[in-house]
Amino acid sequence: MGDSKEAGAEAPPAGAAARGSLSLLTQGESEEPAQGSALFLGGNEVKSTAVVKYSSAPPRTAFARLEEKTDLKLPPANWLRESAKLGPAGTTILGNSKKSKPFSSFGMAYDFIDSVGNDVDVVSDSENIKKLLKIPYSKSHVSMAVHRVGRTLLLDELDIQELFMRSSQTGDWTWLKEFYQRLIDQKWQRKKKSKEHWYQKAILSKFLYYSINGDGAAQPVPSAAEQQEPSGSGQTNDSDGASWPAPFEMPSSVSEDPSASSQGLKNDFVRNILWTFEDIHMLVGSNMPIFGGGRYPAVSLRLRDNNKPINVLTGIDYWLDNLICNVPELVMCFHVNGIVQKYEMIKTEEIPNLENSNFSTKVIKDIAQNILSFLKSNCTKEGHTYWLFKASGSDIVKLYDLTTLCEETEDKYQNPFTMPVAILLYKVACNMMMKKNQNKKHYGTIRTLLLNCVKLLDKSRHPQIIASANYMLSELFQLDEPKKEESSESPLNENSDESYSEEEEETPDSDENGPYGTSADPPDDNKAVAIIKSVGELSVPEKYKSIHQIRPSCAFPVCHDTEERCRLVLSYVLEGLKSVDSSIKKESDLPAADPNTPIPLKYEDESTRGGPEGLEKQMALFLDKMGSLQKGNYSSQSGMIPGSWQHKMKLQLILKSSKAYYVLSDAAMSLQKYGRALRYIKLALQSHDTYCCLCTNMLSEVLLFLSQYLTLCGDIQLMLAQNANNRAAHLEEFNYQTKEDQEILHSLHRESSCQGFAWATDLSTDLESQLSVSCKCYEAANEILQFSDLKNQNPEHYVQVLKRMGNIRNEIGVFYMNQAAALQSERVVSKSVSTAEQQLWKKSFSCFEKGIHNFESIDDATNAALLLCNTGRLMRICAQAHCGTGDELKREFSPEEGMYYNKAVDYYLKALRSLGTRDIHPAVWDSVNWELSTTYFTMATLQQDYAPLSRKAQEQIEKEVSEAMMKSLKYCDVDSVSARQPLCQYRAATIHHRLASMYHSCLRNQVGDEHLRKQHRVLADLHYSKAVKLFQLLKDAPCELLRVQLERVAFAEFQMTSQNSNVGKLKTLSGALDIMVRTKHAFQLIGRELVGELGQPKSEEAPPAADPSPSLNREEVIKLLSIFESRLSFLLLQSIKLLSSTKKKTSNNGEDDVALKTNKQIYSQLLRATANRNTTLSERIDVLTHLLDQLARGGGGGGPVQ
């Protein structure tokens, strides 16, 4: 019909159009829509609104009023000739082609696809509507085909005479003929129409031609519209081809079915009207001629035999025609035996009250609602052809499901409605899919439409539509959304209480329906879907009110997880691919793989591939390929023509499969099923590789997908590397493949070898290889982003890729660093570092350096700091490797060690500068500080223990050690409460202990400079005091505390040797004994540890250690205990001697007497205790603790116990 139908004007606001505004369209225009007012007929209000959506009629002209005695049996001069006033519609306007074609509703549905399935309840010829509404009044037969599309019912005449004539000639429809003869009319035979029928038809045609032009005595009513140009012929010139859908841009010359033009899938109606009758919305086709002009802006013209009064059927017919076309008046021309007698004007609302033609408009409304409710309740299956049948003279109306009956035969495609229904389902679904603002609640409707469409079509005959339908089905599932919205609010469910129906044509007064059956009831009704037992029931208000859902299966399936959703998508993709492949060539003609034959994947031995080195070559090939994609190279193996529908469709299906596999892989990744994830990402990349082979113009969106796929692949390879313990399970999951996956892969192999990304998806057993593959995946993903402006268009993805690159380079760097450390530990004695170690250092350093650059380029200070920290650790490993080997006594701190330790310090300081402040990331900040402190401490310790005296002076070494120790203290945070606080306290205590020991040693060895000696004495005492305070805070370092206290005692003894006066010596001895008393805390900790180790089985009351600590070193405790006993014994003896000599000189000091007595007692007990070799360690500690208590009480210690 041309494109103007699609652009039918919408209805203007109510009351905007006058009653006579049904003017016809000029060429290329939409007819001015007319909205009828409610008509008040005989006191009963019936709402009727008509909007012309399309008209091909020329401008309306006035009719010629014929003179009396005009003989209509004589043909006028213009009879059956074209006229400018008639326009392209020709004789159709004059009603000569009144009989509708069998697929007339489909032609209208194709043109007004927006209305089908959604807004409109019924699509049909006006003649069919009238025939249905006259069922209770007429004995005539009714035979109509009913189809459901969404919430819309399509009604078409099912001409049994025509069908059975065809059956006799071609053998089609024999099953229906047999069924009809068995159940309805056993003696069926074709009966010809009477001569009277053809006579009436001829004089009507001649009358209308007379009325158009006038002849001789006929005087036309003047009309200003007569001079208007007729509409052009562009509206109806498409009779050469049927309106078949094209999934893509299928050329108009291509038709999927050569019989399309013969099936009448054209909208041949002069006008298409959106008619609302009460609450029923109908798209109606009408050919009724409408005249207008002058005093009569719009009238319908009727010819009646004056000898035959108007009956109810004729009245209903005229009334409905005028309502549908919104014509306010009827002009009746009466004749006797073809001789014109008179004209009569009748208003539309007066027609129901005409003599002999009285009928209730309210009853007509009830009939309409009942019939539509009956059809709505019973025509529930989309895609099925239902047959509404009433035999001539019968009161019983039956509904059969012809599709179900047809399925009992061998060929379901014998049903000629199959193809038009399928195409309409497809077109409605396409239309709903293309609406940008389509709510997802309609997805259930679209899915049902498409599934029913696919069910109806023959795969071998209509591959294009099947492929397209399956692709649209796959598009309904949004893979990137976690949940699907249930479509229980589908319009089909929402409107399940509304009325739906469709009707077909009946000749107004004709009772010549004998051939269609008798009034006898059929012998068997078990084949009928539903039955109206008496047509009288249709007049009872709401007798057949619908209580059923239209289509309970239209809800969108709820997918409980991602895998289920993706599997549904892939099942549709596979069906689509099969349709495309079947339409190209027979598979035997192709070099593609057989589904039952394993596909050679060109595996190479890993040794020949060279691990990471082989990856470099494959990456170079990959980058070359990516460059060629920009130029649009095309390399299909199956012979598809670029630009063909097969080519376009397969591209879309392959891209959809790659997305689905990507989402499946991501879901498996989150479930830690890494073998399965690698299998899915391999399929995604194989799909994408095939897409690249077929694509002639690579879209940036598709390149972004590839970057995302490779990024995920890199993640999976990294996780496989980190989960090597479960490798067997991962390998089993990786090798498993479903039949569906195999078939999709088979379709991919028709176009490509699918090996473009094999380097990225191999499951290796080698850790280094897995890490290298992961890194190359990220690098490839990054390279893709560099090809176009993708990194700027997708900054978030770009940042993620660079983060992953930095992370994997850190992982590889740590891997090489650990290997180097392992080699170092295996090296027993060697004068130089091995080449293998040096190579590993270089690789590790290179990875760290690149990783740092990655993180710095995206301003990720925290991760950059972590990599700088790891680089510092690498420098420390290098330093350890260069430590002097051989004789420990001759070992010195080497320059290489110092260089690497200083480099380590530099990297740690860079890490701190990268972070800026602790607030950025407290945990990382504390970690870097700790490592920096450790480096300084290690460097100082090595310089102190293995002083490079051959290269440096003692004073310089002491200065460097002191500086390094103080820097270590600076970065050792002992105050912040954290898990590391005890370690920091222990480190700080050890540093103070070492510094004190160093100054103590300097004091012993130094001669001369008294000022320097005094400074060393003060520093040694200061650091000893700080070391003791820090060790006392720790509960798991009693031995260290004891050792420091003993060193302090030794320091006091050393000071005593340089003193000359007894008073000074006695004071120093008193201080030393006081230190001894203060070691009681250390002995208590040791005793507690011993109870924890030995006393637990004996006593449940023994308190467990407050902090978990390593088991006590008993040998060290015994050694320190022996030293303590000997030093205490020595100090007590010296004290007794000095006090005794002092007593002889001055006998009046009472305090000294008490101290002397106490010291003698303690000394005596100590000698006895040390002489007893059978005492246990615990007993010795108890004795010492007791003696120290006595010493504290007796004042021999000279001070209180702390």
Side-chain angles (χ1 to χ4, degrees):
M1 288 295 297
D3 294 337
S4 59
K5 291 195 193 82
E6 302 289 347
E10 293 298 322
R19 178 173 289 176
S21 62
L22 284 175
S23 58
L24 304 180
L25 300 179
T26 57
Q27 184 177 2
E29 294 179 345
S30 289
E31 177 169 337
E32 181 69 24
Q35 184 157 338
S37 306
L39 301 179
F40 296 88
L41 307 168
N44 293 324
E45 181 183 350
V46 177
K47 297 174 186 174
S48 174
T49 306
V51 178
V52 177
K53 300 292 283 184
Y54 168 80
S55 174
S56 63
R60 191 178 304 142
T61 60
F63 69 93
R65 185 183 290 270
L66 305 182
E67 290 185 355
E68 285 186 40
K69 308 302 181 185
T70 301
D71 190 352
L72 296 178
K73 294 190 290 296
L74 300 175
N78 64 340
W79 192 41
L80 303 180
R81 293 181 184 176
E82 289 189 7
S83 165
K85 294 179 182 179
L86 295 179
T91 56
T92 306
I93 288 181
L94 301 184
N96 289 357
S97 300
K98 200 165 196 177
K99 185 176 178 61
S100 66
K101 295 186 178 179
F103 300 97
S104 59
S105 68
F106 289 90
M108 278 191 288
Y110 289 169
D111 287 340
F112 298 100
I113 205 74
D114 273 343
S115 301
V116 177
N118 192 14
D119 303 326
V120 173
D121 299 320
V122 175
V123 179
S124 185
D125 182 352
S126 61
E127 298 300 319
N128 296 335
I129 301 283
K130 292 188 293 181
K131 181 178 284 190
L132 274 186
L133 297 186
K134 293 187 294 185
I135 282 179
Y137 300 93
S138 172
K139 294 295 182 180
S140 301
H141 87 289
V142 175
S143 177
M144 295 187 195
V146 186
H147 296 91
R148 172 176 300 288
V149 176
R151 58 164 280 177
T152 303
L153 294 172
L154 278 72
L155 295 175
D156 293 279
E157 180 184 15
L158 190 60
D159 190 332
I160 297 295
Q161 284 196 12
E162 200 69 37
L163 281 176
F164 292 173
M165 283 293 293
R166 180 180 176 184
S167 173
S168 303
Q169 295 167 7
T170 64
D172 293 341
W173 289 81
T174 52
W175 59 274
L176 182 59
K177 183 177 179 181
E178 291 170 3
F179 169 75
Y180 181 87
Q181 288 179 322
R182 185 173 74 252
L183 292 185
I184 298 166
D185 185 1
Q186 298 178 3
K187 300 178 180 178
W188 176 85
Q189 59 179 351
R190 178 171 176 79
K191 295 184 180 180
K192 296 180 180 180
K193 291 185 182 287
S194 65
K195 291 182 180 180
E196 176 66 18
H197 170 80
W198 297 116
Y199 167 74
Q200 293 294 341
K201 203 165 185 181
I203 66 165
L204 174 62
S205 174
K206 293 169 186 174
F207 165 68
L208 289 172
Y209 270 95
Y210 272 118
S211 300
I212 274 287
N213 204 24
D215 185 78
Q219 299 296 324
V221 177
S223 169
E226 279 188 3
Q227 304 304 318
Q228 292 186 13
E229 289 293 321
S231 64
S233 59
Q235 301 290 334
T236 57
N237 283 346
D238 60 346
S239 59
D240 295 336
S243 176
W244 292 108
F248 289 95
E249 302 87 28
M250 187 170 69
S252 58
S253 59
V254 176
S255 173
E256 295 240 357
D257 190 337
S259 64
S261 59
S262 66
Q263 288 188 329
L265 295 180
K266 281 176 53 186
N267 186 352
D268 283 333
F269 293 103
V270 173
R271 61 185 66 82
N272 302 127
I273 300 161
L274 191 59
W275 181 42
T276 303
F277 185 59
E278 287 295 317
D279 58 349
I280 304 164
H281 304 285
M282 292 176 267
L283 181 62
V284 181
S286 172
N287 290 326
M288 184 179 78
I290 300 175
F291 299 86
R295 301 192 304 273
Y296 312 108
V299 296
S300 58
L301 199 57
R302 301 288 180 173
L303 182 66
R304 290 299 303 173
D305 189 335
N306 206 19
N307 297 325
K308 294 181 181 177
I310 298 175
N311 60 21
V312 173
L313 293 175
T314 307
I316 294 174
D317 201 68
Y318 292 171
W319 181 69
L320 288 174
D321 266 335
N322 277 17
L323 280 189
I324 291 170
C325 295
N326 206 16
V327 175
E329 291 178 299
L330 166 69
V331 175
M332 195 88 76
C333 176
F334 292 91
H335 74 96
V336 175
N337 296 324
I339 305 300
V340 174
Q341 300 295 313
K342 63 176 179 175
Y343 281 84
E344 186 178 330
M345 300 288 292
I346 305 170
K347 292 186 179 298
T348 301
E349 57 265 35
E350 294 172 358
I351 295 174
N353 302 317
L354 292 177
E355 188 180 353
N356 298 322
S357 179
N358 287 343
F359 60 90
S360 167
T361 57
K362 188 76 174 173
V363 171
I364 300 296
K365 181 198 75 171
D366 292 335
I367 293 168
Q369 290 175 336
N370 278 326
I371 289 176
L372 295 177
S373 294
F374 172 76
L375 292 174
K376 177 185 70 172
S377 299
N378 297 295
C379 300
T380 55
K381 296 179 181 177
E382 213 162 38
H384 280 225
T385 297
Y386 292 91
W387 180 27
L388 187 71
F389 180 79
K390 182 178 86 74
S392 180
S394 172
D395 281 345
I396 299 175
V397 182
K398 297 178 183 177
L399 186 72
Y400 298 96
D401 184 347
L402 292 187
T403 303
T404 304
L405 295 173
C406 184
E407 284 171 355
E408 297 171 5
T409 66
E410 293 182 1
D411 185 6
K412 69 176 182 179
Y413 301 105
Q414 278 198 14
N415 183 349
F417 286 101
T418 299
M419 188 64 190
V421 171
I423 299 303
L424 185 57
L425 293 171
Y426 172 80
K427 292 190 76 171
V428 172
C430 279
N431 185 61
M432 294 178 82
M433 282 285 284
M434 286 189 292
K435 290 182 180 175
K436 302 281 188 198
N437 57 350
Q438 180 66 62
N439 193 304
K440 288 178 187 172
K441 69 181 181 181
H442 297 310
Y443 277 9
T445 307
I446 297 171
R447 177 175 176 269
T448 308
L449 289 167
L450 291 171
L451 287 176
N452 286 324
C453 168
V454 171
K455 197 187 298 181
L456 290 172
L457 294 173
D458 182 359
K459 292 181 181 180
S460 62
R461 298 180 194 175
H462 311 289
Q464 182 176 0
I465 298 174
I466 288 177
S468 181
N470 277 294
Y471 174 67
M472 283 195 289
L473 282 166
S474 73
E475 278 290 290
L476 291 174
F477 295 85
Q478 299 301 312
L479 295 172
D480 53 347
E481 293 181 10
K483 288 185 181 179
K484 293 293 110 197
E485 185 180 340
E486 294 183 35
S487 58
S488 57
E489 305 168 5
S490 162
L492 295 175
N493 290 335
E494 285 175 351
N495 300 298
S496 59
D497 292 334
E498 297 182 13
S499 297
Y500 300 80
S501 176
E502 305 195 356
E503 295 95 322
E504 301 204 353
E505 158 188 343
E506 176 190 348
T507 306
D509 277 325
S510 174
D511 287 329
E512 299 173 9
N513 299 298
Y516 286 84
T518 65
S519 60
D521 291 338
D524 185 7
D525 292 328
N526 61 358
K527 296 288 186 181
V529 173
I531 296 176
I532 298 175
K533 295 180 180 178
S534 171
V535 291
E537 295 178 353
L538 294 173
S539 303
V540 181
E542 298 187 353
K543 172 70 176 179
Y544 286 94
K545 187 175 180 181
S546 173
I547 56 171
H548 303 289
Q549 273 196 336
I550 290 174
R551 185 175 57 231
S553 63
C554 72
F556 197 69
V558 179
C559 297
H560 298 289
D561 57 23
T562 303
E563 182 159 4
E564 186 181 348
R565 186 164 66 247
C566 291
R567 279 289 160 201
L568 267 173
V569 168
L570 289 170
S571 68
Y572 295 132
V573 167
L574 176 58
E575 289 304 315
L577 288 173
K578 284 179 178 177
S579 294
V580 174
D581 292 343
S582 67
S583 72
I584 301 170
K585 280 185 182 179
K586 290 182 181 177
E587 303 210 358
S588 57
D589 298 338
L590 293 171
D594 187 286
N596 301 317
T597 306
I599 299 163
L601 296 180
K602 302 179 184 176
Y603 287 121
E604 298 178 31
D605 186 63
E606 293 208 4
S607 60
T608 61
R609 228 174 23 190
E613 291 75 15
L615 277 177
E616 296 292 342
K617 295 178 183 176
Q618 294 180 45
M619 271 299 293
L621 291 172
F622 165 73
L623 294 178
D624 287 343
K625 182 174 182 179
M626 291 310 298
S628 69
L629 284 180
Q630 305 300 305
K631 301 169 188 174
N633 288 353
Y634 175 82
S635 57
S636 167
Q637 296 178 359
S638 68
M640 277 196 303
I641 302 168
S644 65
W645 74 264
Q646 290 99 333
H647 176 247
K648 292 181 179 181
M649 179 55 70
K650 193 155 190 177
L651 274 178
Q652 295 299 318
L653 289 167
I654 289 172
L655 188 61
K656 191 71 178 180
S657 71
S658 72
K659 290 179 188 176
Y661 282 127
Y662 168 74
V663 175
L664 278 171
S665 179
D666 192 44
M669 179 80 170
S670 63
L671 295 173
Q672 300 181 354
K673 302 289 186 182
Y674 304 122
R676 186 192 306 172
L678 185 62
R679 167 163 56 90
Y680 284 138
I681 203 65
K682 180 176 183 177
L683 286 163
L685 286 168
Q686 285 175 320
S687 298
H688 205 286
D689 187 33
T690 307
Y691 184 93
C692 294
C693 290
L694 295 178
C695 191
T696 54
N697 181 24
M698 185 63 69
L699 299 173
S700 59
E701 178 191 15
V702 179
L703 284 174
L704 178 62
F705 290 151
L706 179 56
S707 178
Q708 291 170 342
Y709 298 170
L710 287 167
T711 304
L712 180 59
C713 189
D715 293 347
I716 295 165
Q717 291 283 11
L718 175 57
M719 296 312 297
L720 284 167
Q722 293 176 349
N723 291 271
N725 295 336
N726 207 14
R727 181 169 281 134
H730 294 320
L731 185 63
E732 185 180 351
E733 285 186 335
F734 176 70
N735 290 326
Y736 173 79
Q737 207 168 49
T738 65
K739 186 174 187 296
E740 192 175 67
D741 294 338
Q742 289 173 349
E743 290 180 334
I744 289 175
L745 194 56
H746 174 60
S747 180
L748 298 179
H749 275 94
R750 291 170 58 91
E751 313 299 337
S752 160
S753 63
C754 300
Q755 294 298 304
F757 300 98
W759 56 270
T761 54
D762 281 345
L763 180 55
S764 173
T765 55
D766 176 54
L767 181 60
E768 180 183 359
S769 176
Q770 285 177 319
L771 292 172
S772 298
V773 167
S774 178
C775 186
K776 293 301 175 188
C777 285
Y778 296 136
E779 288 174 6
N782 185 45
E783 288 290 343
I784 290 164
L785 294 176
Q786 309 295 333
F787 272 115
S788 54
D789 201 31
L790 281 174
K791 69 175 184 179
N792 296 325
Q793 295 169 7
N794 304 275
E796 290 183 8
H797 178 60
Y798 179 63
V799 167
Q800 286 301 316
V801 170
L802 284 182
K803 272 192 177 183
R804 283 167 163 79
M805 282 174 67
N807 179 58
I808 191 63
R809 282 167 171 165
N810 178 55
E811 292 284 340
I812 297 173
V814 169
F815 171 77
Y816 287 136
M817 181 168 67
N818 290 340
Q819 278 199 323
L823 280 179
Q824 181 184 316
S825 64
E826 291 169 4
R827 187 158 41 91
V828 182
V829 177
S830 176
K831 292 182 179 180
S832 61
V833 178
S834 67
T835 308
E837 281 182 81
Q838 291 178 334
Q839 289 298 322
L840 288 169
W841 293 344
K842 287 179 182 177
K843 288 180 179 179
S844 180
F845 180 74
S846 173
C847 289
F848 287 141
E849 201 171 37
K850 289 176 181 175
I852 291 164
H853 175 70
N854 292 144
F855 286 126
E856 286 177 346
S857 66
I858 55 173
D859 299 323
D860 190 342
T862 305
N863 281 319
L866 285 172
L867 263 73
L868 285 164
C869 198
N870 278 341
T871 313
R873 184 181 158 213
L874 175 65
M875 295 299 108
R876 285 162 59 191
I877 288 174
C878 294
Q880 291 167 17
H882 283 89
C883 69
T885 53
D887 190 354
E888 283 286 317
L889 298 174
K890 297 179 182 179
R891 182 189 161 188
E892 287 188 354
F893 184 71
S894 66
E896 290 81 10
E897 285 180 272
M899 178 188 72
Y900 281 115
Y901 277 122
N902 282 318
K903 282 186 176 181
V905 166
D906 289 341
Y907 282 112
Y908 289 130
L909 290 172
K910 281 182 184 176
L912 288 178
R913 284 196 296 274
S914 174
L915 288 171
T917 61
R918 186 175 185 270
D919 297 337
I920 300 295
H921 202 297
V924 176
W925 177 271
D926 293 344
S927 179
V928 174
N929 272 285
W930 172 254
E931 294 296 334
L932 183 55
S933 171
T934 303
T935 306
Y936 277 125
F937 176 72
T938 306
M939 191 162 53
T941 303
L942 290 171
Q943 279 185 294
Q944 189 178 14
D945 293 348
Y946 305 102
L949 294 171
S950 62
R951 294 182 289 109
K952 296 180 182 178
Q954 180 72 34
E955 292 79 9
Q956 187 183 353
I957 293 170
E958 289 170 0
K959 182 182 177 184
E960 289 178 359
V961 169
S962 176
E963 287 176 352
M965 287 292 190
M966 294 312 293
K967 284 178 181 176
S968 181
L969 270 176
K970 175 184 174 184
Y971 295 106
C972 187
D973 183 7
V974 295
D975 298 322
S976 299
V977 178
S978 66
R980 195 181 272 129
Q981 188 184 27
L983 283 175
C984 292
Q985 290 172 339
Y986 185 86
R987 165 75 53 76
T990 306
I991 289 171
H992 285 300
H993 179 199
R994 277 186 165 272
L995 285 171
S997 297
M998 184 181 76
Y999 290 128
H1000 185 181
S1001 176
C1002 291
L1003 195 61
R1004 281 176 181 276
N1005 300 328
Q1006 198 169 27
V1007 182
D1009 192 344
E1010 191 59 35
H1011 173 72
L1012 195 59
R1013 284 177 60 81
K1014 185 178 179 181
Q1015 188 178 0
H1016 284 165
R1017 189 182 300 114
V1018 171
L1019 286 171
D1021 191 51
L1022 174 68
H1023 286 298
Y1024 274 134
S1025 299
K1026 289 185 176 179
V1028 168
K1029 284 181 181 177
L1030 287 166
F1031 277 131
Q1032 281 178 337
L1033 294 174
L1034 299 168
K1035 297 179 180 180
D1036 56 352
C1039 293
E1040 287 82 350
L1041 176 59
L1042 188 56
R1043 188 180 292 108
V1044 173
Q1045 295 287 41
L1046 287 172
E1047 283 191 26
R1048 288 181 76 189
V1049 169
F1051 183 61
E1053 289 178 6
F1054 173 72
Q1055 285 179 296
M1056 193 172 66
T1057 57
S1058 62
Q1059 292 173 328
N1060 296 321
S1061 68
N1062 285 347
V1063 176
K1065 286 184 178 181
L1066 196 58
K1067 186 177 179 181
T1068 304
L1069 274 172
S1070 179
L1073 283 170
D1074 185 46
I1075 292 170
M1076 286 293 198
V1077 169
R1078 293 176 188 176
T1079 56
K1080 178 185 172 184
H1081 177 65
F1083 285 122
Q1084 286 174 336
L1085 290 174
I1086 292 171
R1088 211 172 288 152
E1089 289 279 347
L1090 291 172
V1091 170
E1093 286 183 6
L1094 304 173
Q1096 274 181 349
K1098 299 176 185 177
S1099 172
E1100 294 180 3
E1101 297 177 2
D1107 291 330
S1109 60
S1111 60
L1112 202 63
N1113 188 337
R1114 297 175 70 87
E1115 291 181 5
E1116 188 178 7
V1117 171
I1118 292 169
K1119 180 181 175 182
L1120 290 170
L1121 196 57
S1122 300
I1123 295 171
F1124 184 86
E1125 287 171 344
S1126 68
R1127 297 333 295 160
L1128 180 58
S1129 176
F1130 173 77
L1131 290 173
L1132 287 170
L1133 181 59
Q1134 292 300 316
S1135 175
I1136 291 167
K1137 286 180 181 179
L1138 285 171
L1139 286 171
S1140 297
S1141 65
T1142 305
K1143 184 181 178 182
K1144 290 176 184 178
K1145 295 177 182 178
T1146 57
S1147 57
N1148 58 351
N1149 193 340
E1151 288 185 6
D1152 288 349
D1153 292 342
V1154 174
L1156 178 61
K1157 184 179 178 182
T1158 303
N1159 288 356
K1160 282 182 178 180
Q1161 290 175 351
I1162 294 170
Y1163 182 66
S1164 173
Q1165 291 177 33
L1166 180 61
L1167 287 177
R1168 283 197 295 272
T1170 53
N1172 186 0
R1173 301 294 181 185
N1174 296 324
T1175 54
T1176 63
L1177 185 58
S1178 297
E1179 289 170 346
R1180 287 173 69 183
I1181 289 171
D1182 289 340
V1183 168
L1184 282 176
T1185 306
H1186 178 65
L1187 292 176
L1188 292 175
D1189 282 337
Q1190 286 183 7
L1191 192 60
R1193 287 196 299 272
V1201 178
Q1202 288 186 355

